[in-house]
Amino acid sequence: MFRPNHLKSVIAAGQPALGVWLQLGEPSIAEIASLAGYDFLILDNEHGPASLEQTVHSMRAAQAGKATVMVRAPGQDPDYLKRVLDAGAEAIMVPMVETAEQARAVVAACKYPPAGRRGYSAPTVRASGYGADPDYAARANDTLFICVQIESHTAADNAAEIAAVEGVDLVFIGVADLSGSIGLMGQPGRPEVDAQIRKAEAGVRAAGKPLGTIPRPGHSMVELAAEGYQLLAGIADSGALRAAFVADVAAFAPAKRKG
């Protein structure tokens, strides 16, 4: 259901926002995470298995708390973006944006005319409460939060132009794929990767747009916030659950040895 965008307010106030990656597509996890106090939840439909129907259930569950629902799209398909926005996504994260032209296409797909070319069915979709909010279409463009991801050395070269695109609210530096794009997959702490990150940072800041990222060696979530990053997401639901399960099994190991 349509509501004020908490994440957009936090970013506009110049504050850092904390989020979590939800890859399992399980609505109860979204509900727990939102009630825990996160500013936003990333429903990861790029790397996660969730269908659009499962994503809608997670959106409903997330609204038990204040967390803004951000959907990471599988790609840049405008038809997918239209459907997930109609379903109620409050923020969009789009991966692998490498040029200003691609960024403009993302914005156009997400915005109603005249700012874009998003198809209109506002009175019938979940995003408007199935018509319960007659002002949804008039407010949707301003309320939506659009985040594009820089994840390659090509994108880092074009960071200033990408960030300058009107309608892009924040640029997220994906350090994992960025490292892979220069032949250093899984090595985000390498100086060569850091150089690419710094280049991307400089371009985004020159355009006056806020930055987001994930932690990397030597740069914790708190340290990144001190560096000026405003959108930060570290743990994923799958990783958090695995860590808790492994710790639980390890804690019980002495009892098994005694047996």
Side-chain angles (χ1 to χ4, degrees):
M1 300 290 285
F2 196 56
R3 60 181 183 165
N5 194 313
H6 170 73
L7 173 62
K8 198 160 191 175
S9 298
V10 172
I11 299 297
Q15 295 296 312
L18 177 64
V20 60
W21 301 90
L22 301 185
Q23 295 181 316
L24 297 178
E26 169 49 55
S28 294
I29 298 177
E31 187 173 31
I32 292 167
S34 188
L35 290 170
Y38 284 104
D39 293 305
F40 64 99
L41 314 178
I42 302 173
L43 307 185
D44 190 356
N45 287 357
E46 181 187 15
H47 293 294
S51 66
L52 184 57
E53 183 178 3
Q54 288 172 308
T55 299
V56 171
H57 290 318
S58 290
M59 290 179 189
R60 290 192 181 107
Q63 290 183 325
K66 68 178 182 180
T68 293
V69 176
M70 174 182 283
V71 176
R72 176 152 77 162
Q76 300 173 27
D77 178 9
D79 292 328
Y80 176 88
L81 293 171
K82 174 176 61 181
R83 292 189 71 198
V84 80
L85 287 169
D86 284 350
E90 299 167 317
I92 290 289
M93 174 181 278
V94 178
M96 295 291 181
V97 173
E98 295 195 314
T99 67
E101 181 181 9
Q102 290 177 346
R104 282 191 289 270
V106 167
V107 172
C110 293
K111 301 273 191 178
Y112 285 125
R117 54 184 179 81
R118 176 183 171 190
Y120 179 81
S121 188
T124 67
V125 298
R126 179 179 179 273
S128 70
Y130 308 100
D133 187 338
D135 296 325
Y136 167 74
R139 294 188 289 156
N141 284 358
D142 290 335
T143 303
L144 178 64
F145 187 89
I146 298 176
C147 165
V148 298
Q149 291 187 264
I150 283 179
E151 301 185 272
S152 71
H153 63 88
T154 300
D157 289 340
N158 296 327
E161 292 82 4
I162 292 169
V165 170
E166 186 175 357
V168 170
D169 292 296
L170 182 141
V171 176
F172 191 98
I173 300 176
V175 300
D177 284 316
L178 180 55
S179 66
S181 78
I182 58 171
L184 296 171
M185 180 67 72
Q187 303 175 69
R190 288 280 292 270
E192 301 94 324
V193 179
D194 190 67
Q196 293 292 321
I197 293 169
R198 296 305 180 194
K199 179 167 56 176
E201 287 175 346
V204 175
R205 286 177 172 143
K209 294 290 176 69
L211 282 158
T213 195
I214 59 173
R216 64 185 193 276
H219 300 268
S220 69
M221 300 277 276
V222 172
E223 289 166 337
L224 287 164
E227 292 174 29
Y229 279 86
Q230 285 189 257
L231 190 135
L232 295 157
I235 65 170
D237 52 0
S238 54
L241 282 168
R242 184 182 187 281
F245 292 161
V246 168
D248 194 42
V249 170
F252 191 70
K256 282 193 172 281
R257 284 197 293 270
K258 289 177 183 177

